[in-house]
Amino acid sequence: MSPTKSGKFQVIVDVPDTVSVSGTLNFATAANALRAMRNAFAKHDRHTLDLGGVDSCDSAGLACVLAALSEADEGGRRVSVRHVPKGMQALAQVCGVESMLH
C-alpha cells in the first residue's frame, strides 16, 4: 500500500455488526474517514471493523483507524478488526502499534 496524495474512501454499514472501509486512507482522507467511522459506530451497534477494501494507506490513515478503535473502546464497545491489508500491518509494525489492530 503506497501512499498517495489524494484518494477516495467509503464507509459502509450494510453487513450486520460490521463497519466496512474501502479505498484510500491517507493524509487527504483521514479526517473525513475518521468522522465517517465515528458516525457509523455511534449510529449503529457495530463490533467489527473490516478493512479488506482498503487499497492504500499511509500513517495518517493508520492513525485514523487507531483513533476510531480507541474512541469505540472508550465508549465501552470492543471492536475487532478483520482483513487488515498487509501494507497497513507492516506500517503498524514499524510504528510499534501492530497489537492495537488485533
Side-chain angles (χ1 to χ4, degrees):
M1 289 198 280
S2 59
T4 59
K5 293 185 180 189
S6 63
K8 294 181 181 183
F9 71 93
Q10 189 171 21
V11 175
I12 304 166
V13 292
D14 61 353
V15 175
D17 196 47
T18 302
V19 173
S20 300
V21 181
S22 63
T24 301
L25 293 178
N26 63 14
F27 185 78
T29 64
N32 289 332
L34 176 57
R35 270 192 293 280
M37 284 188 274
R38 184 183 291 144
N39 288 337
F41 282 117
K43 291 180 182 178
H44 307 278
D45 188 25
R46 307 295 170 141
H47 295 90
T48 303
L49 178 61
D50 186 342
L51 300 172
V54 174
D55 56 29
S56 180
C57 180
D58 66 11
S59 60
L62 175 60
C64 161
V65 169
L66 295 176
L69 294 173
S70 176
E71 289 178 14
D73 190 51
E74 288 173 3
R77 180 173 307 144
R78 179 78 175 137
V79 175
S80 63
V81 183
R82 297 185 344 189
H83 305 121
V84 179
K86 289 183 188 235
M88 185 183 288
Q89 288 177 5
L91 182 59
Q93 185 177 19
V94 167
C95 296
V97 296
E98 186 178 21
S99 65
M100 296 175 75
L101 293 175
H102 299 289

